[in-house]
Amino acid sequence: MSRIALVTGGSRGIGAAISTTLKDKGYTVAATYAGNDEAAAKFTEETGIPSFKWSVADYDACVDGIKAVESKLGPVDVLVNNAAIFTTLEMKPFYSIDPVEWGEAINVNLNGVYACSRQVVDTMKENGFGRIINIGSAAVTMGRPNYTHYVASKSALIGMSRSMARELGSFGITVNTI
Protein backbone atom coordinates (compact mmCIF):
# COMPACT_ATOMS: atom_id res chain seq x y z
CA MET A 1 0.00 0.00 0.00
CA SER A 2 1.40 3.37 -0.97
CA ARG A 3 1.68 6.33 1.35
CA ILE A 4 -0.97 9.03 1.14
CA ALA A 5 0.21 12.56 0.31
CA LEU A 6 -1.90 15.70 0.47
CA VAL A 7 -0.69 18.80 -1.35
CA THR A 8 -2.50 22.03 -0.53
CA GLY A 9 -2.73 24.34 -3.50
CA GLY A 10 -1.78 21.24 -5.41
CA SER A 11 -3.63 21.59 -8.70
CA ARG A 12 -1.70 24.48 -10.30
CA GLY A 13 1.83 25.86 -10.56
CA ILE A 14 4.40 24.61 -8.06
CA GLY A 15 1.71 22.60 -6.28
CA ALA A 16 0.81 20.71 -9.45
CA ALA A 17 4.48 19.89 -10.03
CA ILE A 18 4.77 18.61 -6.45
CA SER A 19 1.57 16.57 -6.79
CA THR A 20 2.59 14.90 -10.04
CA THR A 21 6.13 14.23 -8.82
CA LEU A 22 4.81 12.52 -5.70
CA LYS A 23 2.43 10.44 -7.83
CA ASP A 24 5.33 9.48 -10.13
CA LYS A 25 7.28 8.39 -7.02
CA GLY A 26 4.48 5.99 -6.06
CA TYR A 27 2.44 8.04 -3.58
CA THR A 28 -1.33 8.18 -3.62
CA VAL A 29 -1.90 11.92 -3.92
CA ALA A 30 -4.74 14.34 -3.25
CA ALA A 31 -4.59 18.03 -4.15
CA THR A 32 -6.53 20.95 -2.74
CA TYR A 33 -7.54 24.14 -4.44
CA ALA A 34 -9.44 27.20 -3.31
CA GLY A 35 -11.23 28.61 -6.28
CA ASN A 36 -10.40 27.70 -9.86
CA ASP A 37 -12.83 24.85 -10.54
CA GLU A 38 -11.94 24.63 -14.23
CA ALA A 39 -8.19 24.33 -13.62
CA ALA A 40 -8.72 21.74 -10.87
CA ALA A 41 -11.02 19.64 -13.05
CA LYS A 42 -8.48 19.75 -15.90
CA PHE A 43 -5.67 18.81 -13.49
CA THR A 44 -7.64 15.84 -12.13
CA GLU A 45 -8.60 14.71 -15.63
CA GLU A 46 -5.02 14.89 -16.89
CA THR A 47 -3.29 13.36 -13.85
CA GLY A 48 -5.87 11.16 -12.15
CA ILE A 49 -5.10 13.00 -8.90
CA PRO A 50 -8.32 13.89 -7.09
CA SER A 51 -8.84 17.55 -6.25
CA PHE A 52 -10.67 18.76 -3.17
CA LYS A 53 -11.96 22.31 -2.87
CA TRP A 54 -11.53 24.32 0.31
CA SER A 55 -9.73 27.40 1.59
CA VAL A 56 -6.90 26.61 3.97
CA ALA A 57 -7.63 29.97 5.61
CA ASP A 58 -10.86 28.47 6.98
CA TYR A 59 -10.07 26.18 9.92
CA ASP A 60 -13.42 24.37 9.80
CA ALA A 61 -13.06 23.82 6.06
CA CYS A 62 -9.68 22.18 6.75
CA VAL A 63 -11.29 19.87 9.30
CA ASP A 64 -14.01 18.83 6.86
CA GLY A 65 -11.73 18.74 3.81
CA ILE A 66 -9.12 16.50 5.39
CA LYS A 67 -11.86 14.19 6.65
CA ALA A 68 -13.08 13.94 3.04
CA VAL A 69 -9.56 13.16 1.78
CA GLU A 70 -9.03 10.52 4.46
CA SER A 71 -12.46 9.01 3.80
CA LYS A 72 -11.59 8.59 0.13
CA LEU A 73 -7.88 7.70 0.33
CA GLY A 74 -6.93 6.90 3.92
CA PRO A 75 -4.88 8.70 6.58
CA VAL A 76 -2.46 11.35 5.35
CA ASP A 77 1.19 10.32 5.75
CA VAL A 78 2.72 13.29 3.95
CA LEU A 79 1.35 16.83 4.06
CA VAL A 80 2.80 19.44 1.73
CA ASN A 81 1.61 22.88 2.82
CA ASN A 82 1.97 24.65 -0.49
CA ALA A 83 -1.18 26.80 -0.66
CA ALA A 84 -0.23 30.45 -0.47
CA ILE A 85 -1.47 33.86 -1.39
CA PHE A 86 0.99 36.04 -3.26
CA THR A 87 -0.04 37.05 -6.76
CA THR A 88 -3.45 38.27 -5.62
CA LEU A 89 -1.92 40.50 -2.97
CA GLU A 90 -1.75 44.12 -3.96
CA MET A 91 1.82 45.32 -4.19
CA LYS A 92 2.14 48.32 -1.87
CA PRO A 93 4.30 49.70 0.93
CA PHE A 94 3.66 48.17 4.34
CA TYR A 95 2.22 51.43 5.64
CA SER A 96 -0.51 51.21 2.98
CA ILE A 97 -1.54 47.62 3.70
CA ASP A 98 -4.93 47.57 5.36
CA PRO A 99 -5.80 45.05 8.09
CA VAL A 100 -7.93 42.95 5.73
CA GLU A 101 -5.05 42.48 3.28
CA TRP A 102 -2.66 41.74 6.15
CA GLY A 103 -5.09 39.17 7.53
CA GLU A 104 -5.53 37.44 4.17
CA ALA A 105 -1.80 36.84 3.86
CA ILE A 106 -1.47 35.57 7.43
CA ASN A 107 -4.62 33.44 7.23
CA VAL A 108 -3.61 31.59 4.07
CA ASN A 109 0.18 31.47 4.38
CA LEU A 110 0.48 30.78 8.11
CA ASN A 111 -2.85 29.90 9.71
CA GLY A 112 -3.58 27.52 6.83
CA VAL A 113 -0.40 25.58 7.63
CA TYR A 114 -1.48 25.35 11.26
CA ALA A 115 -5.02 24.28 10.37
CA CYS A 116 -4.00 21.53 7.94
CA SER A 117 -1.10 20.28 10.04
CA ARG A 118 -3.28 20.13 13.13
CA GLN A 119 -5.73 17.82 11.35
CA VAL A 120 -3.14 15.20 10.39
CA VAL A 121 -0.68 15.23 13.28
CA ASP A 122 -2.62 13.00 15.71
CA THR A 123 -2.83 10.16 13.21
CA MET A 124 0.82 10.63 12.27
CA LYS A 125 1.74 10.38 15.96
CA GLU A 126 -0.33 7.20 16.35
CA ASN A 127 1.33 5.69 13.27
CA GLY A 128 4.84 6.73 14.33
CA PHE A 129 5.41 8.28 10.92
CA GLY A 130 4.68 11.53 9.16
CA ARG A 131 6.15 14.15 6.91
CA ILE A 132 5.08 17.77 6.97
CA ILE A 133 6.70 19.90 4.30
CA ASN A 134 6.06 23.63 4.33
CA ILE A 135 6.80 25.65 1.24
CA GLY A 136 8.66 28.83 2.15
CA SER A 137 10.01 31.65 0.05
CA ALA A 138 13.41 33.05 -0.85
CA ALA A 139 11.90 36.48 -0.19
CA VAL A 140 12.43 35.83 3.53
CA THR A 141 16.22 36.12 3.29
CA MET A 142 16.30 39.43 1.43
CA GLY A 143 12.87 40.89 1.97
CA ARG A 144 10.67 41.99 -0.87
CA PRO A 145 9.61 45.62 -1.13
CA ASN A 146 5.86 46.15 -1.19
CA TYR A 147 5.08 42.61 -0.03
CA THR A 148 5.69 42.92 3.71
CA HIS A 149 2.53 40.92 4.48
CA TYR A 150 3.72 38.00 2.34
CA VAL A 151 7.29 38.07 3.67
CA ALA A 152 6.09 38.31 7.28
CA SER A 153 3.87 35.26 6.87
CA LYS A 154 6.63 33.20 5.26
CA SER A 155 9.16 34.32 7.88
CA ALA A 156 6.84 33.18 10.66
CA LEU A 157 6.45 29.87 8.84
CA ILE A 158 10.15 29.16 9.29
CA GLY A 159 9.99 29.58 13.06
CA MET A 160 6.78 27.59 13.23
CA SER A 161 8.35 24.74 11.26
CA ARG A 162 11.42 24.63 13.50
CA SER A 163 9.29 24.45 16.64
CA MET A 164 7.00 21.81 15.15
CA ALA A 165 10.02 19.73 14.13
CA ARG A 166 11.36 19.76 17.67
CA GLU A 167 7.95 18.88 19.13
CA LEU A 168 7.12 16.10 16.68
CA GLY A 169 10.48 14.48 15.92
CA SER A 170 10.22 11.99 18.77
CA PHE A 171 6.99 10.69 17.22
CA GLY A 172 8.67 9.88 13.89
CA ILE A 173 7.35 13.02 12.22
CA THR A 174 9.67 15.34 10.35
CA VAL A 175 8.80 18.95 9.63
CA ASN A 176 10.76 20.95 7.09
CA THR A 177 10.47 24.19 5.19
CA ILE A 178 11.77 24.34 1.65
Side-chain angles (χ1 to χ4, degrees):
M1 187 163 103
S2 70
R3 298 232 184 245
I4 310 300
L6 173 61
V7 181
T8 67
S11 65
R12 295 188 301 149
I14 293 170
I18 294 167
S19 295
T20 55
T21 299
L22 286 168
K23 182 180 179 193
D24 292 346
K25 297 288 184 184
Y27 290 84
T28 299
V29 180
T32 76
Y33 71 102
N36 191 327
D37 295 326
E38 186 177 320
K42 182 178 178 186
F43 171 79
T44 295
E45 181 181 320
E46 291 175 354
T47 65
I49 296 171
S51 297
F52 295 81
K53 183 177 183 177
W54 78 78
S55 169
V56 298
D58 180 337
Y59 185 89
D60 292 332
C62 292
V63 172
D64 295 340
I66 291 176
K67 282 181 186 174
V69 169
E70 291 182 334
S71 175
K72 182 171 183 167
L73 302 176
V76 174
D77 300 297
V78 176
L79 172 63
V80 180
N81 287 304
N82 172 68
I85 183 171
F86 176 73
T87 57
T88 59
L89 292 174
E90 188 176 343
M91 197 174 143
K92 60 173 80 170
F94 84 93
Y95 50 83
S96 298
I97 298 169
D98 69 44
V100 171
E101 293 168 307
W102 182 268
E104 287 174 348
I106 298 300
N107 283 335
V108 173
N109 300 349
L110 188 62
N111 294 343
V113 172
Y114 163 76
C116 290
S117 298
R118 182 64 194 94
Q119 303 320 305
V120 301
V121 76
D122 288 338
T123 302
M124 288 179 175
K125 284 170 52 181
E126 289 171 17
N127 293 338
F129 177 88
R131 301 291 180 259
I132 299 174
I133 301 144
N134 299 321
I135 304 301
S137 173
V140 168
T141 59
M142 296 175 39
R144 183 173 176 122
N146 302 315
Y147 280 106
T148 302
H149 38 0
Y150 175 79
V151 174
S153 66
K154 290 298 187 171
S155 295
L157 180 62
I158 293 171
M160 179 180 171
S161 298
R162 288 177 178 156
S163 291
M164 288 172 61
R166 296 193 62 146
E167 292 174 13
L168 299 172
S170 65
F171 296 101
I173 303 167
T174 62
V175 182
N176 293 284
T177 301
I178 56 170

